C-alpha cells in the first residue's frame, strides 16, 4: 500500500481502511510491514478505526514524531557537503526523509494533534514489533557506526559552524529588518537534530519506540533507508510471519 505522503496521516489511514476492507475477507490474517510514517498510517487503521490485523512490524516509524523537518532548509542550501555516503550528508538525509511536505509535515511534528490523539487512546497494541537503527551507534561486530560517528563529529564541529557563518553573511544582506532578525535567530539556533546524532537520520531511537512494546531490535551503522534491506531485520520478520497462526 502506497499512501500519498503529502496528505494528512488521518486521511491516509482512512484510505488504508477502505482498501483493507475492499481487498481482504479476513484482515486478521494480514501481516503489516510498515516503514517510517507508514506505521502511523497503520496505527490510524488499527487503533482509531479498530481495524483487524495479524502482526504489525514497524521499521523506523516516528511514533513520537520527528524534528528532522526543521533541518530541511539547510539541506536545500546545497552548502552542507561531506562524505556521508556518495552524495554527502544532504543527499543521505534527503533520501531518508521523503515525507514532511504538505499536511503530513504537521502530523509528524512531536506533540502534534495526530500523535497526541493516538497516545491518548492507550490502545492495547498487540503483536507490535519494532525495528530501529542508530546511524552512529556501534554493535559488537559493527564498524560502520564508528566511521559514521567520526564523520558526524567533523560535521558538527567543523562543517556546521562554517555553514552557519556563510548563512549569517547572507542573512545580513536581507533588506527587511524583521526578516533579517528572524533569519539570524534561526541560524544561531541551528544544530544537528537528535534524529541525526541518536537515530537513523530521520527518527530517533526513542521516537521509534511505542507504549509497552518490548519487542525492539536495534541495528547499528544504518540509516532510515538502509535498514529496509538489512538481512537481520528481514530474517526476523520472516521468522515471525512463519510462526503466525
Amino acid at each position: 500500500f502506497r499512501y500519498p505522503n503529502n496528505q494528512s496521516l488521518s486521511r491516509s489511514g482512512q484510505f488504508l481502511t477502505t482498501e483493507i476492507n475492499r481487498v481482504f475477507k479476513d484482515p486478521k490474517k494480514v501481516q503489516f510491514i510498515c516503514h517510517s510514517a507508514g506505521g502511523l498510517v497503520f496505527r490510524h487503521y488499527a487503533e482509531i478505526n479498530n481495524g483487524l490485523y495479524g502482526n504489525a512490524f514497524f521499521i523506523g516509524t516516528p511514533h513520537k514524531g520527528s524534528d528532522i523537518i526543521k533541518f530541511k532548509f539547510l539541506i536545500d542550501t546545497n552548502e552542507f557537503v561531506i562524505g556521508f555516503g556518495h552524495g554527502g550528508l544532504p543527499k543521505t538525509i534527503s533520501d531518508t526523509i521523503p515525507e514532511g511536505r504538505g499536511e503530513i509535515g504537521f502530523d509528524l511534528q512531536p506533540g502534534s494533534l495526530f500523535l497526541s490523539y493516538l497516545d491518548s487512546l492507550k490502545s492495547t497494541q498487540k503483536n507490535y514489533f519494532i525495528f530501529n537503527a542508530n546511524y552512529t551507534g556501534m554493535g559488537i561486530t559493527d564498524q560502520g557506526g564508528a566511521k559514521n560517528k567520526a564523520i558526524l563529529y567533523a560535521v558538527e564541529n567543523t562543517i556546521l559552524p562554517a555553514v552557519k557563518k556563510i548563512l549569517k553573511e547572507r542573512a545580513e544582506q536581507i533588506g527587511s529588518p524583521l526578516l533579517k532578525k528572524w533569519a539570524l535567530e534561526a541560524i544561531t539556533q541551528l544544530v544537528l537534530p537528535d534524529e541525526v546524532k541518536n537515530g537513523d537520520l530521520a527518527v530517533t531511537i526513542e521516537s521509534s519506540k511505542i507504549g509497552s512494546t518490548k519487542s525492539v531490535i536495534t541495528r547499528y551503522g544504518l540509516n532510515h533507508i538502509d535498514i529496509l534491506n538489512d538481512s537481520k531485520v528481514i530474517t526476523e520478520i520472516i521468522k515471525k510471519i512463519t510462526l503466525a497462526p
Side-chain angles (χ1 to χ4, degrees):
F1 174 78
R2 189 175 182 84
Y3 62 93
N5 64 9
N6 62 345
Q7 295 185 6
S8 69
L9 291 172
S10 58
R11 183 175 299 179
S12 295
Q14 285 298 131
F15 184 25
L16 175 60
T17 302
T18 299
E19 287 299 287
I20 293 298
N21 292 335
R22 181 182 67 84
V23 176
F24 298 101
K25 292 183 178 180
D26 187 5
K28 292 196 298 290
K29 296 181 180 180
V30 179
Q31 308 291 317
F32 287 85
I33 302 175
C34 315
H35 178 243
S36 195
L40 299 175
V41 174
F42 164 79
R43 288 185 62 194
H44 184 283
Y45 159 77
E47 298 177 30
I48 296 178
N49 290 351
N50 297 313
L52 301 176
Y53 63 96
N55 292 312
F57 305 92
F58 299 96
I59 306 174
T61 293
H63 296 290
K64 298 181 181 68
S66 174
D67 270 330
I68 195 68
I69 296 168
K70 298 178 182 177
F71 200 60
K72 280 190 173 182
F73 84 93
L74 179 60
I75 298 172
D76 294 335
T77 66
N78 292 317
E79 299 280 0
F80 199 21
V81 180
I82 196 169
F84 260 83
H86 298 296
L89 181 59
K91 184 179 186 302
T92 305
I93 294 179
S94 292
D95 288 346
T96 64
I97 46 173
E99 296 97 354
R101 300 172 180 84
E103 295 177 58
I104 192 175
F106 297 104
D107 290 338
L108 289 174
Q109 288 293 331
S112 70
L113 288 175
F114 178 85
L115 294 174
S116 297
Y117 182 62
L118 268 183
D119 187 56
S120 72
L121 295 176
K122 305 298 181 183
S123 303
T124 304
Q125 300 165 351
K126 182 181 179 181
N127 294 342
Y128 278 13
F129 302 94
I130 292 172
F131 299 86
N132 55 32
N134 189 335
Y135 193 65
T136 59
M138 187 171 68
I140 297 176
T141 61
D142 174 73
Q143 296 299 320
K147 177 183 176 182
N148 294 340
K149 190 170 185 176
I151 295 174
L152 184 64
Y153 180 85
V155 170
E156 190 167 26
N157 293 279
T158 303
I159 304 301
L160 184 57
V163 171
K164 291 173 71 172
K165 181 180 178 181
I166 293 173
L167 293 177
K168 285 182 179 180
E169 291 174 353
R170 293 182 178 179
E172 291 290 353
Q173 300 173 14
I174 297 175
S176 168
L178 184 61
L179 289 178
K180 180 191 294 187
K181 179 183 178 181
W182 177 85
L184 288 172
E185 289 178 351
I187 294 168
T188 300
Q189 297 172 9
L190 182 63
V191 295
L192 287 181
D194 284 342
E195 285 78 4
V196 175
K197 296 189 290 185
N198 300 304
D200 62 11
L201 300 185
V203 180
T204 65
I205 291 295
E206 184 60 30
S207 181
S208 70
K209 299 176 182 179
I210 175 176
S212 59
T213 300
K214 296 181 179 179
S215 180
V216 180
I217 292 179
T218 300
R219 303 295 290 143
Y220 297 96
L222 302 177
N223 66 36
H224 196 60
I225 298 300
D226 293 338
I227 191 174
L228 284 172
N229 301 312
D230 181 64
S231 59
K232 171 83 170 177
V233 171
I234 295 173
T235 299
E236 287 297 321
I237 291 177
I238 291 176
K239 187 186 302 182
K240 295 290 185 183
I241 292 176
T242 302
L243 294 175

